[in-house]
Each structure stands twice: as C-alpha cells, then as structure tokens.
Amino acid sequence: MPSNNGKRVAVIGAGAAGLAAAKYLLAEGFLVTIFERKAGPGGVWNTAPGNGPYLNPVYEGLETNVPRTLMTLSDHPWPQNASLFPRSEVVGEYLQGYAATMQQGPYSANLTMRPYTEVTEVRKSRHHMTDYWKVEALQRTIGSEKTETVDYFLGVVVALGNYHEPYVPEAYMAGAMEWLEHRPGTLIHSVEFCKPEAFRDQKVLVVGNNASGFDVSFQLKDVAEEVLVSSRRSGRNGKQGPLNAPNLVGKPGIRSFNSFEGSVTFTDGTKSKNVDRIILCTGYIHDFSFIKKRTGDEKIFEKGHKIPNLYEHIFWMPDQTLAFVGLPDKSAAFTVAEAQSAVVARAFAQRIPTWAGPGLERWQRDADARWEQSMSGPDRFTAEEYHSFRLTKDKDYVNRLLGWSMNMTHRTIFGGDGQPPPFWCDCLDQARAESGTVRDAFKDHGEQRHELSLTTHKSLGGSLQGPCEKGMEMMYKTGLRCRSCFVEEPDTFGSIFGAYCRSRCFAGFSSS
C-alpha cells in the first residue's frame, strides 16, 4: 500500500479551518504543508507570547459566545471538565491538541508544519513543464531575521478565517476620522481592545452588537460608568442581549459624531453627550491580496466582504485547485470547516465530481441573483454579509456538502473512504436553539463561572438530550458521528454501546 499519492498541497493558516483541511487532505494521501505565521497552531485562539507583531481579535478574558457543543470537531472531544463556554486559552489548547493528533497520527510523515512563516505571494506558475501554484513566504528564524522560501504545489487551500483587516462602515468613516483627529486615542476598533480596566469609570460607546460587540459590552459593564450599545439593525439589541445591566443602554444606529463636544447623535434623534471612548465592533474585511495573477503584480481578489467567483464559498471557479475553507461567518465554524474540507480533499483527489463550463457560470449568476433578492427581502441581508450564514443557512449548507462528499467514485489510495464528513443533526438544532438561554445562565454565575462544573447544557438549565433518534440506517452506512451527543454524555461513549448511540444521531439529510 502506498504511503502517499505524491501530490503536494499547501494549506495557508493553522486555525480550526486549516487544521481541518489538513486532516482531510492527509486522509486522501496528499503531502500537506501548513503555513502559519504564528509560533504554532490555533489561529486567533493562539494567544501565546512570541507570535509576532500581529493584531489579534482575542482579548483578555474572552470566552466563546456559543456553547462548545457548536464548536466541536467531529473526532476530537473536548475535555470533560471544559466549561460549556470555554475561555480563549482553552479553545487554543483544544485546537493544539487536534493538531497533535495529526502530528502523531498514521499520516504524520506526510505532514509538514511551517510555523513563523507568512505567505507573501501565491500565483500559478510553470515549473518542470507542469502548472503549479508557486508559494512564496518569509520564515522567521532567529529574532527578526527572515528567510525567503519558494515552494510549488498542485493545490492550495486558503484557510485564514475572517479576521483579516478591521472594517469601518463607510457611513461612519468620516465621523470616526474626525473624532480621532480631535480626540486621539479615544476611538479604537475591537481588535485593539485588551483589558476592560482601561475603561473604568468612563462613558463608552460600543458600535455594533454582534458577537464582539456583545462580549465587549459584557466585559465593560462592571467597570464603565455607562455603556451605550449601538446597533444599526432594528431589534438586534433585544436578540443579542442581554442589555439588562443598569449601565447598559441599547441605542440604534449612529447619525453623526460631534468630536468637538464629545457627543453622538443616533438615528432616532437622541443624543448622548460626554462620550469618553468609542469602540468600533464593526467586523472585518477579507484581504487575499497576496494571491496574484499568473504574470505581473495584479491581484486576483480585491479587499472586501465578497470574494467573487467562488463555487459554494469554496472553489475559485477559473481554477478549482485553489480553494477556500472557513470563509463563511456567523456559522458553526468548526462544523462548516470540516464539511468544506471533506469536499476539497475529495475533489482534489478526483474522487467526487466537480462542475465546469457553462453550468458553473449559470450557477454563479443564479447565486448572485438570489443574493440581490435577499438584500431586499424580509430578512434584509446587507452587502457585508455575502459570506454570512445568518439565519441557520449553515445547516442546509453542511448537509448539502455531505451529499456531495459522499458521492465518491472510488476509494482512497489507502483503500478506505477517507476522513468522514460532518453532518448537521437534531442535536445541533437544539443546541443552537437554546444557545442564548444557556449563555445568559452561564454569565449569571459571575466571576466564578469557569471554576464551577458548568460543562453541559443540562448544568445550565438547558434540555439538550443525546443521542437523537433519527437516521440510524444512514449513519450505519456512513459511520458518521454526532459532535453534540458525546459532549453532553461523555461517559457513555467509551463503550461499544456509545459508538452505536453516536451513529444514530442524524436528521434531515437526503442523498438524492
């Protein structure tokens, strides 16, 4: 039996998406090189010293804003004593443990990890009479010294996540710049937020109330005099809450900034005066400017929220040996990354069909038309949400990719089916439905919440039950696993009975 297929694939990024991509590629027999600019794996969750001069959105005291039930890699259980909403360092350790299983696993000889290495350019190039992806990088060696490297790969997976470049909405840009000019140091983006103590006894405006805005507001409520939480989307404050602390005040979008008097006027006409600090929790844009056209210095992708010409948010349609994993946001990111990785690995190995020609172009036109319609529909998506999986789109997406990845034409070079893809089961539906309730209950336990045994939905008053009862026949055929059940019932699944129960957890998938 061969030890590999002799084909090299580059994975750029060693966060959850990059590690998942590497694992699925290794199971297909590829020689995988992971490029990571930090000291080791973990992506944004790797906050260890010595990672280099890179901004990181993970700040002191951050904990996950969704239960780890929705952040579980399918074959890598969390430690039984991990909080249901673990601290950032615990997530980093979890991902580093996942990387270790690959570095010590059956395909470890086919894996090369390149820490302290930042990819500077990717382009298609002719090499030894064959088209390859040429990957140039700078590797930090001793101190600040850097060594240039050049490698050639048959495929490239870009897995850099969503936290590239801080974004400020155009409507706020002029006012923010004027505020900075007259009040330097008093307006920051959330990527620069470090410690809540720096805001003690101040009046703080938090702009945005998605994940980072919610968590920053929660961090500030015990130290700031008042926290104004502004959200442009009507009703968002009530959904994302809780704004139930006496010094947390929900506000609509911003109409104008007045840096001279330190005031902000909102779209409902109200004005807040004497604002000491402003934190923009307004998200990020993608920056893949290092990916260049075959000749010249022209980049393929402009900076922005939308990366064009990507089939299913994954494959670059002009050349499907360039793939992206982990691009969608507002999703169960780990599960989505695994689903994408299964498709990428099997497509690179030519074991599942891919689209080409007029049919692919038609799909792109239809996808863009659906997007335009969603921007004016009742759910009112914005231009910034092109790759967003808000409103549970990730459930349909994961199970659609499952159907695609299971449409295999032959086995791997090792004689098996490869790394099993994930699926979205009943348990994940229930975990998401009660996510906000158990999160509020977790935070209500105060500063000691991570020292208590708050490790399951049940411990926080939730009702998540495992395992669910649907799809047993399909699960027998595929050997897939449910990530929710073994988190809730860890003691059950060390046995044959546990494996049997885990295989029963499936709903809503049709292979047709």
Side-chain angles (χ1 to χ4, degrees):
M1 182 181 297
S3 59
N4 60 73
N5 62 15
K7 299 176 181 178
R8 302 184 70 205
V9 176
V11 175
I12 304 174
L19 295 174
K23 189 153 196 175
Y24 280 86
L25 288 163
L26 289 169
E28 297 292 326
F30 288 103
L31 297 166
V32 179
T33 299
I34 302 178
F35 293 87
E36 170 55 56
R37 67 184 186 178
K38 290 186 175 181
V44 295
W45 302 103
N46 181 354
T47 58
N51 277 324
Y54 307 112
L55 289 174
N56 195 322
V58 173
Y59 40 84
E60 183 177 304
L62 178 69
E63 59 195 22
T64 65
N65 68 309
V66 297
R68 57 180 169 86
T69 323
L70 297 170
M71 295 179 63
T72 302
L73 295 159
S74 57
D75 61 347
H76 190 61
W78 286 82
Q80 293 184 26
N81 62 348
S83 296
L84 189 63
F85 296 85
R87 288 193 175 105
S88 57
E89 60 268 25
V90 177
V91 183
E93 292 167 1
Y94 173 76
L95 292 174
Q96 288 156 16
Y98 184 70
T101 65
M102 285 189 286
Q103 293 171 312
Q104 300 163 12
Y107 310 121
S108 59
N110 298 336
L111 174 64
T112 301
M113 186 78 74
R114 298 270 293 274
Y116 295 119
T117 304
E118 183 170 12
V119 172
T120 56
E121 186 174 284
V122 173
R123 71 168 75 231
K124 211 61 183 283
S125 178
R126 199 75 174 164
H127 182 65
H128 294 314
M129 305 297 292
T130 303
D131 274 352
Y132 288 91
W133 288 100
K134 180 182 179 183
V135 177
E136 298 184 20
L138 285 178
Q139 184 171 19
R140 223 166 7 120
T141 51
I142 302 174
S144 60
E145 293 183 16
K146 295 182 178 180
T147 302
E148 294 183 3
T149 65
V150 178
D151 296 273
Y152 294 88
F153 300 90
L154 286 174
V156 171
V157 179
V158 182
L160 292 173
N162 300 297
Y163 302 100
H164 299 181
E165 184 171 307
Y167 167 68
V168 179
E170 186 176 349
Y172 296 163
M173 182 63 77
M177 295 305 294
E178 182 182 280
W179 188 283
L180 273 175
E181 181 180 348
H182 293 102
R183 296 172 177 266
T186 64
L187 183 149
I188 63 172
H189 191 274
S190 59
V191 75
E192 302 171 273
F193 180 81
C194 293
K195 298 180 179 181
E197 186 60 37
F199 299 83
R200 180 168 291 280
D201 299 328
Q202 296 183 355
K203 186 175 185 177
V204 184
L205 169 63
V206 175
V207 183
N209 195 31
N210 280 312
S212 61
F214 167 76
D215 198 75
V216 168
S217 303
F218 183 84
Q219 296 274 336
L220 293 174
K221 71 180 181 63
D222 292 330
V223 295
E225 176 184 297
E226 185 177 32
V227 183
L228 309 173
V229 185
S230 168
S231 174
R232 290 185 298 169
R233 182 172 288 118
S234 176
R236 172 60 59 88
N237 284 336
K239 291 182 180 179
Q240 183 71 13
L243 295 180
N244 55 4
N247 62 341
L248 289 179
V249 180
K251 289 289 185 179
I254 296 170
R255 178 179 294 168
S256 63
F257 298 86
N258 188 324
S259 59
F260 294 99
E261 66 178 28
S263 67
V264 176
T265 301
F266 300 94
T267 54
D268 63 354
T270 61
K271 178 187 284 190
S272 291
K273 299 180 179 180
N274 302 316
V275 175
D276 297 304
R277 304 284 290 277
I278 299 175
I279 305 174
L280 300 176
C281 299
T282 48
Y284 300 80
I285 58 174
H286 300 293
D287 181 7
F288 300 120
S289 55
F290 61 88
I291 306 176
K292 305 292 181 64
K293 294 187 175 180
R294 184 182 285 266
T295 58
D297 196 46
E298 187 177 356
K299 55 197 173 190
I300 292 177
F301 305 106
E302 297 294 331
K303 293 181 182 180
H305 291 101
K306 177 183 177 180
I307 306 303
N309 295 322
L310 292 188
Y311 179 57
E312 288 284 23
H313 304 278
I314 303 173
F315 293 106
W316 186 48
M317 292 190 294
D319 186 338
Q320 295 183 45
T321 59
L322 174 63
F324 292 77
V325 170
L327 203 57
D329 65 356
K330 296 182 178 67
S331 69
F334 290 17
T335 304
V336 168
E338 283 192 298
Q340 292 179 319
S341 296
V343 167
V344 168
R346 295 175 187 200
F348 279 12
Q350 299 181 331
R351 294 203 306 121
I352 59 174
T354 55
W355 281 24
L360 196 58
E361 296 169 5
R362 185 169 56 252
W363 177 91
Q364 182 65 63
R365 289 195 301 270
D366 292 345
D368 285 343
R370 288 194 300 272
W371 173 250
E372 293 293 335
Q373 184 178 11
S374 72
M375 290 180 67
S376 59
D379 296 323
R380 302 180 64 137
F381 277 67
T382 65
E384 293 93 344
E385 295 180 296
Y386 184 81
H387 298 288
S388 168
F389 280 4
R390 183 165 64 88
L391 300 177
T392 71
K393 285 173 62 178
D394 45 3
K395 173 181 180 176
D396 296 335
Y397 181 76
V398 166
N399 287 345
R400 185 167 70 249
L401 294 190
L402 169 62
W404 186 7
S405 62
M406 295 305 293
N407 190 20
M408 297 171 286
T409 58
H410 56 279
R411 294 186 178 276
T412 71
I413 65 167
F414 305 119
D417 289 331
Q419 177 77 4
F423 66 97
W424 195 286
C425 64
D426 276 356
C427 293
L428 285 177
D429 280 337
Q430 190 174 358
R432 168 171 279 167
E434 62 186 34
S435 176
T437 302
V438 294
R439 179 183 61 193
D440 294 350
F442 183 72
K443 290 184 179 296
D444 285 345
H445 282 81
E447 295 298 320
Q448 301 302 311
R449 59 189 178 274
H450 288 284
E451 281 64 59
L452 305 174
S453 296
L454 305 174
T455 60
T456 67
H457 287 242
K458 296 175 188 176
S459 67
L460 290 162
S463 58
L464 179 64
Q465 300 290 328
C468 58
E469 297 294 330
K470 297 185 180 180
M472 180 168 57
E473 182 179 355
M474 174 59 70
M475 303 321 300
Y476 274 138
K477 291 179 180 178
T478 62
L480 302 180
R481 290 178 293 268
C482 171
R483 63 213 2 91
S484 301
C485 294
F486 67 70
V487 173
E488 286 294 279
E489 306 278 355
D491 295 331
T492 304
F493 295 110
S495 64
I496 295 175
F497 174 75
Y500 164 79
C501 289
R502 194 162 52 219
S503 73
R504 300 175 69 182
C505 189
F506 179 82
F509 170 68
S510 172
S511 58
S512 59

